[in-house]
Amino acid sequence: MTKLNEGVSLSDVQKMLAQDYNIRMTYLELRLLADDLAVNWEKHDKPKPTPAPEEQAKTPEEDAESFDDAEDLDDDEDFEEEAEAEEEEEEAAEPGATKVTIDPAPRPGMILSGMVRFASGIRAGWMMNRMGQLSLDLPDDDTQPTQEDIQGFQEELRRVMQRKDEEMRKAANDGRTKVTINPVVPAGVKIGGNVEFASGAKGDWYIDNSGRMGFTPAEGSTNPTQEDVGMFQVVLQQELRKHGYGV
């Protein structure tokens, strides 16, 4: 008992009994016997580790807050799942969109051309001649666009051309395209002048008595691009109005 009060552990006593007295006892048996002894067992109790802040017991109020937080988290997850489900339903319900592109350089003999992907998924080329008439270059598998396809194509082409025209007008006002009107023009020409395109190409432009426009590149100059021509037409209209010509 003296040794136990001095702080010797029961494990040490168990070893001592076995080595010095050849008495073998289990730890449980020794512990039951020691309960009847006047020993301060608090000396032998190992201090309980202080729980980490996140592991410490929570007050009822904190438990309630944690429960509310968990409910809020569940609500957030449910909301996100519902939002994703709604987006998937909207995407599934939305019909295929019509896509129209414009070629940088139109096909020969055309003022505009490009490609179209109809809402039904059919792909084709499209062209517009100088009379403003549209035609389609369809695949050779007898696939034909529906009436809804044609209507959607015309509406989308109108939007694309309007957007391109707005972009062209903004680009035309950056000062890179310069147009002049000559006071004297050759026979057969109603009005004419010079032009320096944004790309650096140069030449003479004219409108004949029939109202047709023509262009003669300057010697050594490259041909204007389709974008050059579009910006030239915008600037030319501005110059004609400025000089009192009705356009």
Side-chain angles (χ1 to χ4, degrees):
M1 184 179 69
T2 302
K3 289 186 177 295
L4 288 173
N5 278 325
E6 290 176 353
V8 177
S9 67
L10 285 178
S11 297
D12 293 335
V13 173
Q14 185 182 26
K15 293 177 182 178
M16 188 184 306
L17 290 173
Q19 294 174 359
D20 297 346
Y21 303 99
N22 198 26
I23 299 174
R24 301 185 180 280
M25 299 179 66
T26 65
Y27 184 88
L28 180 58
E29 292 172 337
L30 185 60
R31 185 69 174 83
L32 291 174
L33 289 174
D35 284 341
D36 296 330
L37 302 176
V39 178
N40 184 6
W41 294 108
E42 292 181 357
K43 293 182 179 180
H44 305 281
D45 292 338
K46 295 181 179 180
K48 295 181 180 180
T50 302
E54 62 273 14
E55 297 176 351
Q56 290 181 350
K58 296 182 179 180
T59 64
E61 292 80 4
E62 291 174 335
D63 283 337
E65 291 176 358
S66 298
F67 180 73
D68 292 339
D69 291 342
E71 285 187 333
D72 292 341
L73 180 60
D74 291 339
D75 291 341
D76 291 342
E77 292 175 352
D78 292 340
F79 177 80
E80 292 176 358
E81 291 176 357
E82 291 175 0
E84 291 176 357
E86 290 176 357
E87 290 178 358
E88 291 175 357
E89 291 176 358
E90 290 176 357
E91 291 177 358
E94 183 181 2
T98 302
K99 176 70 174 179
V100 175
T101 61
I102 299 178
D103 295 333
R107 299 188 185 189
M110 301 294 165
I111 60 172
L112 285 174
S113 64
M115 297 295 296
V116 55
R117 185 194 65 196
F118 295 102
S120 62
I122 300 174
R123 297 174 182 269
W126 64 269
M127 296 154 285
M128 180 184 292
N129 62 19
R130 298 184 184 279
M131 301 296 293
Q133 297 173 327
L134 279 172
S135 60
L136 294 174
D137 183 11
L138 293 167
D140 298 330
D141 55 2
D142 296 330
T143 303
Q144 295 292 327
T146 64
Q147 187 63 34
E148 289 78 10
D149 281 340
I150 298 298
Q151 182 177 354
F153 161 63
Q154 292 174 337
E155 293 175 353
E156 182 63 17
L157 178 60
R158 190 178 301 112
R159 283 193 291 267
V160 171
M161 292 180 64
Q162 182 178 359
R163 184 168 62 248
K164 187 175 181 63
D165 182 66
E166 292 173 354
E167 294 173 353
M168 192 72 67
R169 290 182 182 278
K170 290 181 181 179
N173 293 325
D174 62 5
R176 293 183 300 160
T177 303
K178 300 178 176 62
V179 176
T180 60
I181 299 176
N182 294 335
V184 180
V185 294
V189 174
K190 182 178 181 180
I191 186 173
N194 309 108
V195 55
E196 181 178 345
F197 297 99
S199 65
K202 299 178 181 180
D204 299 328
W205 64 270
Y206 63 88
I207 299 175
D208 63 20
N209 292 329
S210 301
R212 292 179 299 185
M213 178 176 289
F215 172 73
T216 304
E219 185 177 355
S221 173
T222 59
N223 289 324
T225 65
Q226 183 68 21
E227 184 178 6
D228 281 338
V229 174
M231 290 189 288
F232 160 68
Q233 291 173 341
V234 173
V235 176
L236 176 61
Q237 289 180 353
Q238 296 173 350
E239 290 298 319
L240 291 175
R241 291 193 185 96
K242 189 185 301 182
H243 288 79
Y245 292 94
V247 292

